[in-house]
Amino acid sequence: MSFTGTLAFGHVGLNVTDLERSLGFYGDVLGFEVLGEGKEEGRRYAFLGQDGKLVLTLWQQAGGGYDSGRAGLHHLAFQAESIDHVRAAEAALKGRGATFAYEGVVAHAEGAASGGIFFHDPDGTRLEISVPKGAEEAEAPSGQAPTCGFF
């Protein structure tokens, strides 16, 4: 028997090594607001969102940075309103010293209208901010393969 109901996206939970550093990155740089935070038995956590809606939970419980060679989260993608918003996020991230997988806005594949920026959070978690259209002139670093596949 399979589930036949409708599922909607809820939120994503990320393990982090340093909650304060991650709050600065996701809050100050990416613009998420702290909806709540706490400490329980020495463990810290925070709930982040936009317009009062929960988007991310951060859990300070990781002993090391992101490992792309382990099963689990591949990358986390956010959709921006426009290519100009993607470029504004890129400038804010560069100002914060974020590391990028590619230089500038790139297309999702050759000839694609969609594209964005691909970068890492302070723990190395792979992130993307993209748009469904507006990147028609951007290069595609992986040819026809999905740009978000192996960064």
Side-chain angles (χ1 to χ4, degrees), residues 63-89:
Y66 178 79
D67 182 355
S68 63
R70 296 187 62 161
L73 179 73
H74 181 274
H75 74 284
L76 178 57
F78 299 104
Q79 185 169 316
E81 295 176 31
S82 71
I83 199 71
D84 291 334
H85 285 103
V86 173
R87 289 190 178 103

Side-chain angles (χ1 to χ4, degrees), residues 4-149:
T4 59
T6 300
L7 298 175
F9 179 78
H11 69 274
V12 172
L14 297 176
N15 285 338
V16 300
T17 59
D18 181 331
L19 185 62
E20 287 305 317
R21 181 179 68 174
S22 293
L23 282 172
F25 180 82
Y26 286 98
D28 298 343
V29 179
L30 296 183
F32 289 103
E33 60 186 288
V34 177
L35 301 177
E37 61 183 303
K39 183 176 186 178
E40 184 176 310
E41 298 178 20
R43 297 182 292 182
R44 296 185 60 209
Y45 58 90
F47 303 126
L48 305 177
Q50 289 183 323
D51 300 322
K53 182 177 189 270
L54 180 63
V55 177
L56 287 173
T57 58
L58 302 177
W59 306 92
Q60 184 174 296
Q61 61 184 2
Y66 178 79
D67 182 355
S68 63
R70 296 187 62 161
L73 179 73
H74 181 274
H75 74 284
L76 178 57
F78 299 104
Q79 185 169 316
E81 295 176 31
S82 71
I83 199 71
D84 291 334
H85 285 103
V86 173
R87 289 190 178 103
E90 178 186 19
L93 288 159
K94 283 184 176 181
R96 183 70 177 222
T99 59
F100 288 80
Y102 311 107
E103 185 62 37
V105 172
V106 296
H108 278 129
E110 280 185 28
S114 63
I117 55 173
F118 298 83
F119 57 100
H120 303 89
D121 80 357
D123 285 310
T125 301
R126 298 184 293 197
L127 302 169
E128 167 186 352
I129 299 177
S130 61
V131 289
K133 61 182 180 179
E136 292 86 348
E137 304 300 319
E139 293 185 29
S142 301
Q144 289 298 322
T147 299
C148 60

